[in-house]
Amino acid sequence: MIYHDRRIENTFGLEAVAANYLEYCSEDELLREIPLAPKPWLHVGGGSNLLFATKRCEGTVFHNAMNAVEVIRRDEESVTVKAGGGVVWDFFVQWCVGRGYYGAENLSLIPGEVGAAAVQNIGAYGAEAKDIIESVETLDTETLQKRVFRRDECRYGYRSSFFKGGEGRRFFILSVVFSLSLKPVYNLSYGSLKDIPHQSLSLAAVREKVIATREAKLPAPEHIGSAGSFFMNPVVSRSKFEELAAGYPDMPHYPAAGDMVKLSAGWMIDRCGLKGYRLGGAGVYDKQALVLVNNGGATAEEVLSLAAEVIERVKDRFGVELRPEVQIIKNG
Ligand code: EPU
C-alpha cells in the first residue's frame, strides 16, 4: 500500500515525512508496487537507528510489514525459525524465550524490527544478531529476483553487514531465518548477567536481567527520544591503546579482531565531562553518555552540532575519532 506525505516513525522523535511511503505485507505486494515507486529509495525498519537530517524524504520510503514468525525445522538440538522483516525485534525475543529457544535472550528490549536487526547486526551483553542468524531472504530490487544470503555471505562485523551500505542496499530484507538452541546455552560473560544466582538461572531470568540493566541505563523511546548508542565503540591499534592506558589505567577495553582493541566511547565522552551536557533541545543522556537524546523539541541541526562537539572533545582529549552508529538520512 502506498501512502503520500506520511510521517516516518523514528525514536528520536524528529519531524520526518515521506513523499511516498510504501508499506508491503508480502513479497508479491512489493513486486507489484516497486515499479511504480519514485526514486530515490530508502528502506526503513522501526526508525530506532535513524537520524533524519531532512524533514522530507522525496522518492519512496519502504517499510516491510511482514510480521509472521514460524518454526520451519526442528531436530533434537535446535530449531530453525523464520521471522518476517517487519516483526518487532523484542516480540521475536519474547516469543523465543517463551518457547524455550536459546540464543536471542541477551538481545531483549532492543528497539527496532527483525529486518533492521539483520542489517545492523544489533548487539548487546556479549551477543550479536549474527550469532543466531542462519540466512537472510532478500529481494534484489534491480533484478526483482529473490536472493537468499547465507550468514557467511552477509559479511557481518561490529554493527555492520553487506546490507548496510553501497551495493548491499539494493537488497531489501524480506525475512530472516534464525537457528536457536533447544539445549540450555547461556552467554553470561557480560558484567550484570554474572550476578544471576545459579539456582535461578533460566531463559526468563536472563531476559529479566537484561531488561532491568537496559532500563537502568538507556532511555525508553516512548519517554525520551534517542536512537540508542549514537556512536560506535572505536577500535584502535594495541600501541594506541597502550599509550592511552598509561594515562588512563581504568579505561575499559575489550579485545577486537586482529590484535586491535575496542574502547568504550561512552566512558570517553563521560570523562570529557559531557554527561548531561545540553545543546538546545539535544543532550548527552545523563545515565549513559553514548546516547544522545531529544530532551524535547530538538532539531536535527542541534543533534548534529552536539554530535560534532562530542567528536571534537573526544578527539582533543584522547586522539580517537568517534564515528556515528546512527544512520543519518540526508535524502532531501
Ligand atoms: N561508561 C561510563 N560512562 C558512561 C557510559 C559508559 O563510564 O556514560 C562505561 C561503563 O561503566 C562500562 C563501559 O563504559 O565500563 C561500557 O558501557 P556499557 O556497558 O553501558 O556499554 P557500551 O559499550 O557503552 C554497548 C552497545 C550498546 C549495548 C551495551 C551493552 C555499542 C555502540 N553500544 O554500549 O548497544 O546495549 O554495549 O552490551 O556497541 C546500541 O547499539 O544502540 C546499544 C545501546
Side-chain angles (χ1 to χ4, degrees):
M1 168 111 186
I2 286 218
Y3 301 86
H4 301 289
D5 298 325
R6 179 168 150 165
R7 180 173 187 276
I8 311 168
E9 292 300 324
N10 66 99
T11 55
F12 242 120
L14 297 176
E15 197 184 315
V17 166
N20 303 285
Y21 188 96
L22 200 168
E23 185 154 70
Y24 57 96
C25 297
S26 67
E27 190 188 330
D28 286 348
E29 186 180 2
L30 177 60
L31 278 170
R32 201 171 55 238
E33 302 276 10
I34 214 168
L36 310 171
K39 288 191 171 175
W41 292 347
L42 171 70
H43 199 293
V44 300
S48 56
N49 200 48
L50 303 178
L51 174 67
F52 284 94
T54 175
K55 287 192 167 67
R56 186 175 167 84
C57 291
E58 299 299 346
T60 308
V61 172
F62 291 79
H63 181 239
N64 181 341
M66 293 163 66
N67 60 8
V69 185
E70 55 178 335
V71 171
I72 55 171
R73 250 185 346 263
R74 187 186 179 106
D75 60 29
E76 295 214 329
E77 307 224 318
S78 68
V79 63
T80 306
V81 175
K82 180 169 164 172
V87 172
V88 170
W89 175 262
D90 194 51
F91 171 85
F92 168 72
V93 175
Q94 192 183 21
W95 190 94
C96 293
V97 167
R99 281 164 179 75
Y101 303 161
Y102 293 77
E105 58 284 356
N106 288 30
L107 304 177
S108 289
L109 209 65
I110 296 184
E113 296 171 358
V114 162
V119 173
Q120 176 70 2
N121 187 21
I122 56 171
Y125 312 112
E128 288 183 326
K130 74 159 171 51
D131 304 338
I132 51 170
I133 290 176
E134 187 179 292
S135 61
V136 176
E137 300 185 358
T138 71
L139 184 80
D140 179 343
T141 58
E142 267 178 27
T143 61
L144 298 187
Q145 299 295 309
K146 203 163 160 177
R147 164 130 185 230
V148 178
F149 288 82
R150 290 188 321 266
R151 183 227 314 245
D152 61 325
E153 295 173 311
C154 297
R155 296 190 217 154
Y156 280 124
Y158 168 56
R159 297 295 192 276
S160 75
S161 72
F162 168 68
F163 309 109
K164 199 171 168 181
E167 195 205 341
R169 291 181 108 143
R170 74 169 207 251
F171 296 91
F172 288 4
I173 295 181
L174 301 170
S175 46
V176 181
V177 176
F178 297 94
S179 177
L180 299 144
S181 176
L182 291 169
K183 300 255 157 84
V185 203
Y186 294 102
N187 178 351
L188 305 173
S189 54
Y190 184 87
S192 68
L193 302 190
K194 289 196 192 110
D195 306 339
I196 304 173
H198 187 70
Q199 62 281 13
S200 55
L201 186 58
S202 67
L203 269 179
V206 175
R207 176 165 163 80
E208 248 171 63
K209 189 75 182 177
V210 168
I211 289 177
T213 308
R214 287 191 79 87
E215 284 179 338
K217 283 192 181 177
L218 296 165
E222 56 281 18
H223 296 128
I224 304 174
S226 88
S229 300
F230 192 92
F231 302 101
M232 288 195 272
N233 282 328
V235 175
V236 300
S237 65
R238 179 149 297 276
S239 60
K240 173 69 188 173
F241 163 67
E242 278 162 6
E243 181 197 310
L244 285 168
Y248 302 96
D250 57 337
M251 177 176 240
H253 59 282
Y254 318 90
D259 201 34
M260 304 284 275
V261 182
K262 192 191 275 183
L263 306 178
S264 166
W267 182 89
M268 290 193 283
I269 299 167
D270 194 355
R271 286 299 287 257
C272 289
L274 289 166
K275 211 179 214 174
Y277 176 74
R278 288 179 181 229
L279 196 160
V284 176
Y285 191 48
D286 55 8
K287 297 196 187 101
Q288 177 22 315
L290 194 51
V291 178
L292 301 189
V293 292
N294 177 355
N295 285 310
T299 61
E301 291 72 32
E302 287 169 345
V303 178
L304 290 169
S305 302
L306 175 63
E309 193 170 336
V310 168
I311 291 172
E312 199 183 313
R313 295 275 293 271
V314 168
K315 177 104 204 226
D316 282 353
R317 181 150 187 178
F318 298 100
V320 173
E321 188 143 347
L322 297 183
R323 287 197 299 127
E325 193 219 290
V326 166
Q327 196 189 337
I328 298 165
I329 308 296
K330 294 185 178 139
N331 161 358

